Amino acid sequence: MQFARAAWGFLVAIKDGLVLIAMLLFFAALYAALSSRPNVAAIGEGALLLDLNGVIVEQPAEIGFLATLAADENAIREYRLRDVVRAIDSAATDDRVKAVVLDLSTFLGGGQTSLSAVGDALERVRKTDKPVYAYANFYSDDSYQLAAHADEIWMDPMGGVIFAGPGGNRLYFKNLIEQIGITAHIYRVGTYKSAVEPFMRADQSPESREASEALYSVLWDSWIDEVKKARPQAVIQPYANDPARYVKAAGGDYTKVAAEQKLVDKIGDRVAFGRYVASKVGTDTKPSPDSFKSIAYDNFVSAHPVKTSGDPIGVITVAGEIVDGKGGPGIAASGRIAEQIYKALEKEEIKALVVRVDSPGGSAFASEEIRLALADVKKAGIPIVISMGDVAASGGYWVAAAGDHIMAEPDTITGSIGVFAVLPSFEKMLGKWGITVDGVQTTPLSGEPDFVGGFGVDVDTILQSGVEHSYRSFLKLVGDARGKTSAEVDTIGQGRVWDGGTARQLGLVDSFGGMDDALAEAARRAGLEQGDYYPEYLESKPGFRLLPIDGLPFGETEQARVTGMVGWAARQQKAAFAEALNTARGLMTREDVQALCLECGGSWRQSKSGSPDLITLLKSYW
């Protein structure tokens, strides 16, 4: 009896503890919800401070509350591209803004076309005679692409500048999985479809190398042209081509190199930079990290919402890897996106639709679900314009084929028309442990695919034939959309990726332009007058949910600053290792035929995985 009372008391204590935890989390969530609201009333005169602590993306993912509690250093902030551009453009006309300040010390980058769009917005500010100042401890490709558009570039005395350019090595797992005893069953169509090469080769194929060299050379030349145009006095290409010579000649003094090659204008720490800006825009009398009068980005964005005068043009965003289901935002879940498309179809006031695609592709089935929904919009007589972002390749192009008009930027990564599937089996691994399998089959497919005993010939034939059929379907839908035969599409398909400029020459893209150009084209096709329309973004906004505990912006993870060359190298190494692991894990666990582009990794490298479950969280503190 005494034991029963003790057990009951223990259970009651657990119950009370759980109730207490639930109450604490509820009030913490309520406090976070109230305190995280932007304060529009706090905006005064000063400099618009763009303290970009994270990455610029097309569509931010939901913030995981549990990931924040677990102190996940990979849970970085994502800034929506159109919000950043709108804030900068608003700064050009808002009299309260005296300057724009870029703090890039914790900026982790973005796609090349996205950064070009931000750079163009900064140039528009400069044309109004409002200065733009940039500061960072250390500059690399992405941060410098933005800083180049500033009137003055500041750098910390212990900092440096390095240009790496696109490209680099990727991991190949063929030898490893053979040693472990895993058999990777690969089914693909496309000579250049390199997404599965890490599992079937120990090195890059000549075809993949050819495609990568062509793509990266175009992107690199475009980057250099943009930076040189924005900052003609800087010695960019010679330094990028032979950085070791310049650094050695300067005795290892990175600051001296940056100053002599006119890569930066002034050397000074953060305090000196703050005082300098204060002399231009006014001194902040309130205690704050910055000594100059500043306008917080979140407050400023909220104070300048999207204009809603005229007729609405619906905007659907397909951002991230394309998957089945209703997840996201942050991933392109076909169920959620198709639902948004059909809701747009039901709105009689929407005269046209712009589909913003920023995706390397993914599931062929999910891509087709989105395309079919867009086909229903087209049947209803509503014009569809596709606006390609940093990347619209493979499954991303599968979706784009539904448009009446396709627009891209010269640096957009697109194409990659090809499909594949990867399935593992473990007969060799089990054989090393002395485990064998045997059984009775009533048909050639009984027990197949056999992940334990290995795949039969019939299964391999069936799966490869299915992948080939998917490729033929891909060719046909592109051919029908672009006025080409399947054979003509095949010559520019085979999984090969193209830059936007080449894609236009090949007939995969109709014209160049960004989001504003796509809206104008959609308005023209809908018969709307110039300026008599506005974008209506048909998407769920990133937020938070109380139950399950997920998505709460309870705290913002501050990224470690890159303070020098060694720190930059360490971050690059860490990012490459994480990307390799994610690639290996992802390719071996996808469940259907894939239309996915591996070369497009630069624009979708951030993991969009959900928050850890409670058990995982508790284990992390064990």
Side-chain angles (χ1 to χ4, degrees):
M1 193 67 179
Q2 187 175 2
F3 174 77
R5 288 197 192 98
W8 177 254
F10 179 70
L11 292 175
V12 169
I14 292 177
K15 182 264 295 180
D16 292 341
L18 291 175
V19 170
L20 178 60
I21 291 173
M23 290 179 63
L24 289 173
L25 290 175
F26 172 79
F27 285 111
L30 184 61
Y31 172 78
L34 295 175
S35 62
S36 63
R37 288 182 179 178
N39 185 4
V40 175
I43 297 177
E45 288 190 351
L48 173 61
L49 177 59
L50 298 179
D51 184 4
L52 299 177
N53 175 40
V55 295
I56 294 177
V57 299
E58 191 65 40
Q59 184 181 62
E62 288 184 332
I63 303 171
F65 177 49
L66 292 184
T68 304
L69 286 180
D72 182 5
E73 63 180 8
N74 293 316
I76 60 178
R77 178 168 180 181
E78 297 176 327
Y79 295 82
R80 192 193 305 270
L81 170 62
R82 66 172 185 262
D83 291 342
V84 175
V85 172
R86 188 174 76 251
I88 297 173
D89 281 334
S90 298
T93 57
D94 193 319
D95 293 336
R96 294 172 295 183
V97 179
K98 306 304 179 184
V100 174
V101 173
L102 298 171
D103 189 336
L104 302 170
S105 294
T106 54
F107 181 53
L108 299 181
Q112 190 162 317
T113 62
S114 294
L115 299 184
S116 294
V118 176
D120 290 341
L122 292 171
E123 292 294 336
R124 291 191 288 270
V125 170
R126 294 178 64 185
K127 288 180 180 179
T128 65
D129 294 328
K130 293 185 178 182
V132 178
Y133 305 112
Y135 176 85
N137 301 90
F138 183 86
Y139 292 98
S140 55
D141 299 36
D142 287 359
S143 56
Y144 198 83
Q145 186 177 350
L146 296 186
H149 295 278
D151 293 279
E152 294 185 22
I153 301 178
W154 282 64
M155 188 182 76
D156 188 88
M158 298 185 68
V161 181
I162 196 70
F163 304 133
N169 292 326
R170 65 172 65 113
L171 295 182
Y172 289 82
F173 305 96
K174 179 177 182 293
N175 293 336
L176 172 63
I177 62 178
E178 285 182 350
Q179 290 181 24
I180 295 175
I182 297 175
T183 302
H185 300 268
I186 297 170
Y187 313 94
R188 70 166 182 167
V189 181
T191 304
Y192 297 92
K193 199 62 181 176
S194 61
V196 294
E197 284 191 0
F199 300 101
M200 59 184 293
R201 295 181 59 94
D203 59 0
Q204 189 173 25
S205 69
E207 295 82 7
S208 175
R209 185 177 299 277
E210 174 191 349
S212 296
E213 287 176 347
L215 175 66
Y216 294 152
S217 65
V218 170
L219 296 180
W220 181 233
D221 289 344
S222 178
W223 185 91
I224 290 176
D225 290 343
E226 178 183 338
V227 173
K228 283 293 295 180
K229 181 179 179 181
R231 190 174 177 83
Q233 71 271 33
V235 180
I236 302 294
Q237 193 156 12
Y239 174 57
N241 289 342
D242 193 4
R245 178 172 66 86
Y246 284 87
V247 172
K248 184 177 180 180
D253 188 340
Y254 306 136
T255 304
K256 182 179 179 181
V257 174
E260 288 182 347
Q261 306 313 315
K262 302 186 185 306
L263 301 175
V264 300
D265 297 297
K266 296 183 179 180
I267 305 298
D269 62 18
R270 183 174 298 277
V271 174
F273 174 73
R275 290 172 178 170
Y276 176 80
V277 176
S279 70
K280 304 294 182 181
V281 303
T283 302
D284 189 1
T285 57
K286 298 179 180 179
S288 68
D290 303 296
S291 58
F292 58 89
K293 290 183 177 179
S294 61
I295 302 171
Y297 167 80
D298 291 321
N299 294 342
F300 197 72
V301 169
S302 296
H304 295 84
V306 177
K307 296 179 180 179
T308 56
S309 60
D311 291 309
I313 294 177
V315 180
I316 296 291
T317 303
V318 181
E321 185 175 341
I322 300 174
V323 299
D324 189 28
K326 293 190 176 183
I331 57 171
S334 60
R336 173 178 56 84
I337 294 173
E339 185 176 290
Q340 292 171 352
I341 294 171
Y342 285 117
K343 285 182 178 179
L345 187 57
E346 294 172 358
K347 293 186 176 183
E348 295 182 359
E349 65 271 21
I350 290 181
K351 308 301 181 183
L353 192 67
V354 172
V355 181
R356 178 69 169 178
V357 181
D358 188 33
S359 171
S363 165
F365 179 88
S367 301
E368 177 67 358
E369 184 177 6
I370 298 173
R371 191 193 70 84
L372 289 175
L374 292 174
D376 285 340
V377 173
K378 185 181 293 188
K379 290 176 184 176
I382 299 176
I384 300 174
V385 175
I386 304 296
S387 173
M388 293 182 170
D390 294 306
V391 54
S394 211
Y397 195 85
W398 191 307
V399 171
D404 298 299
H405 188 89
I406 299 178
M407 304 186 75
E409 301 284 7
D411 297 332
T412 296
I413 302 173
T414 188
S416 191
I417 299 172
V419 295
F420 70 89
V422 181
L423 292 172
S425 64
F426 307 96
E427 67 277 9
K428 295 179 182 178
M429 176 187 294
L430 297 176
K432 292 180 179 180
W433 298 339
I435 300 174
T436 58
V437 297
D438 198 5
V440 176
Q441 291 180 299
T442 54
T443 74
L445 298 182
S446 295
E448 295 285 357
D450 189 347
F451 296 98
V452 177
F455 292 10
V457 176
D458 289 328
V459 171
D460 284 335
T461 300
I462 291 170
L463 292 176
Q464 179 63 33
S465 297
V467 169
E468 291 173 0
H469 173 74
S470 296
Y471 180 63
R472 289 192 295 269
S473 299
F474 201 168
L475 295 179
K476 186 177 187 308
L477 70 89
V478 173
D480 291 344
R482 308 305 300 169
K484 299 177 181 293
T485 65
S486 293
E488 289 173 331
V489 178
D490 185 48
T491 61
I492 57 178
Q494 291 290 321
R496 173 131 188 195
V497 292
W498 306 100
D499 61 274
T502 304
R504 184 179 179 185
Q505 295 175 2
L506 296 173
L508 295 175
V509 170
D510 293 303
S511 62
F512 292 145
M515 191 62 187
D516 289 340
D517 301 300
L519 289 167
E521 176 65 23
R524 185 188 69 80
R525 289 175 175 266
L528 301 178
E529 296 294 330
Q530 183 177 359
D532 192 25
Y533 60 87
Y534 69 92
E536 182 175 331
Y537 293 94
L538 306 168
E539 59 188 23
S540 56
K541 297 180 181 179
F544 59 86
R545 298 187 299 271
L546 294 182
L547 292 174
I549 306 165
D550 183 50
L552 285 172
F554 192 74
E556 182 176 318
T557 303
E558 179 73 16
Q559 294 303 306
R561 301 180 188 276
V562 177
T563 56
M565 200 75 68
V566 175
W568 169 80
R571 174 167 287 177
Q572 297 297 103
Q573 182 185 47
K574 180 179 179 181
F577 183 69
E579 182 176 354
L581 291 179
N582 285 334
T583 300
R585 180 178 59 188
L587 287 179
M588 294 294 282
T589 57
R590 290 181 173 91
E591 296 178 348
D592 61 0
V593 175
Q594 297 291 307
L596 182 67
C597 171
L598 185 62
E599 289 87 346
C600 311
S603 299
W604 56 284
R605 58 183 175 268
Q606 276 71 34
S607 173
K608 301 295 184 182
S609 59
S611 303
D613 57 63
L614 188 57
I615 299 301
T616 303
L617 176 65
L618 293 175
K619 286 170 63 178
S620 68
Y621 288 101
W622 191 256

